[in-house]
């Protein structure tokens, strides 16, 4: 009998146990983050179950948002919520307020729901700035100020990937236990990848550096092999693959959408945070993505994220264009 393997199989590291372990490293911590996270996990379990039942797209978007908003408010640990589904930010009433701001997309990639492609929830968490009434400035902070970020992917399995600022860990929902169990400890993105991921249907409107980069992926001039193209069109699924296998995910600016498509607060920032924590990079075409200071809650930005070396290449092309 393999006692070591058995010991690992029976010593279940649930997400709550994992976060409590992290918390014990910070004696000043009061457990608020653990409580907040358990409410996010509840939302993820609900959406996972609804997706598996095959609810219609419209209903599912609205349902997921309602579940997350209610779960977050009832945690008593939040003060401002920004959801992709709601035009305005939600300010939690004073009696239920806590010190965290949560920005989230309850169901990202929703155009894929009806054909069974993987979709997900993306979230980022800020601490409210000290003192006074919470204001929109508390969520209009650069991504590097996030205290945690993550996503939950509803696919062939339900996987929650999270970083609290010291590495990235992945948990898979065990449906028989109803618990997320640590299955992907310390995720590190390969330094260089063999895959590029972009909607090439937009190529005619790309700028020079993006067009040059994608051309190099297909026709490398340094004798290396061409990269493979993989594009699902569901950010959580495309980023999850990029994180595990390496490579680069691009949603660039183009002539029709000079700011790209993806939203800064609840798409670009959380995924950039995870990429950096896993050893990769995230770049907007102008700067490190996490240094951006958003002016509006639903602002968009171009994004290039993934393996360190692959993002270095695109950065070099943009630098060359600037120095022309
Ligand atoms: P969707 O429109 O299906 O909701 O921002 C939303 C998003 O999906 C991302 O999940 C995905 O990466 C991107 O849009 C896909 O956009 P394109 O269809 O333009 O490629």
């Amino acid at each position: 009998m393999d006692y070591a393997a058995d010991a690992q199989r029976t010593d279940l590291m649930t997400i709550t146990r994992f976060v409590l372990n992290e918390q014990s490293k910070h004696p000043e911590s009061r457990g608020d983050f653990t409580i907040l996270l358990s409410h996010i996990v509840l939302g993820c379990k609900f959406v996972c179950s609804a997706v598996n039942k095959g609810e219609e797209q419209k209903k599912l978007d609205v349902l997921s948002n309602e579940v997350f908003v209610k779960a977050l408010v009832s945690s008593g640990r939040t003060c401002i919520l920004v959801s992709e589904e709601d035009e305005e930010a939600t300010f939690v009433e004073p009696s239920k307020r806590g010190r965290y701001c949560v920005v989230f997309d309850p169901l990202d990639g929703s155009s894929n729901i009806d054909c069974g492609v993987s979709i997900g929830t993306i979230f980022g968490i800020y601490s409210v700035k000290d003192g006074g009434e919470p204001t929109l400035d508390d969520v209009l902070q650069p991504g590097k100020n996030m205290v945690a970020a993550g996503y939950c992917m509803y696919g062939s399995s339900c996987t929650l990937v999270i970083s609290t600022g010291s590495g990235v860990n992945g948990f898979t929902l065990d449906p028989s236990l109803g618990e997320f169990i640590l299955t992907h400890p310390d995720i590190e993105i390969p330094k260089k990848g063999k895959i590029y991921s972009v909607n090439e249907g937009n190529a005619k409107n790309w700028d020079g550096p993006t067009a040059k980069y994608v051309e190099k992926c297909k026709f490398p001039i340094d004798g290396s092999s061409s990269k493979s193209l993989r594009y699902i069109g569901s950010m959580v699924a495309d980023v999850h693959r990029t994180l595990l296998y390496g490579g680069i995910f691009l949603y660039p600016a183009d002539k029709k959408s000079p700011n790209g498509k993806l939203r800064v607060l609840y798409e670009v920032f959380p995924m950039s945070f995870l990429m950096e924590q896993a050893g990769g990079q995230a770049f907007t075409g102008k700067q490190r993505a996490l240094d951006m200071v958003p002016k509006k809650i639903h602002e968009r930005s171009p994004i290039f994220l993934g393996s360190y070396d692959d993002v270095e290449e695109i950065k070099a092309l943009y630098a060359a264009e600037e120095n022309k």
Side-chain angles (χ1 to χ4, degrees), residues 236-264:
V236 174
D238 281 315
V239 170
H240 187 63
R241 183 202 54 248
T242 305
L243 199 58
L244 296 188
Y245 296 174
I248 187 162
F249 169 84
L250 309 73
Y251 210 111
D254 64 43
K255 280 184 212 131
K256 278 193 341 211
S257 325
N259 295 319
K261 175 180 184 188
L262 302 178
R263 310 289 182 153
V264 172

Side-chain angles (χ1 to χ4, degrees), residues 36 42 61 76 162-163 190 201 208 236 311-312:
L36 171 63
L42 176 68
D61 278 5
I162 185 165
S163 174
V236 174
V311 179
E312 263 320 274

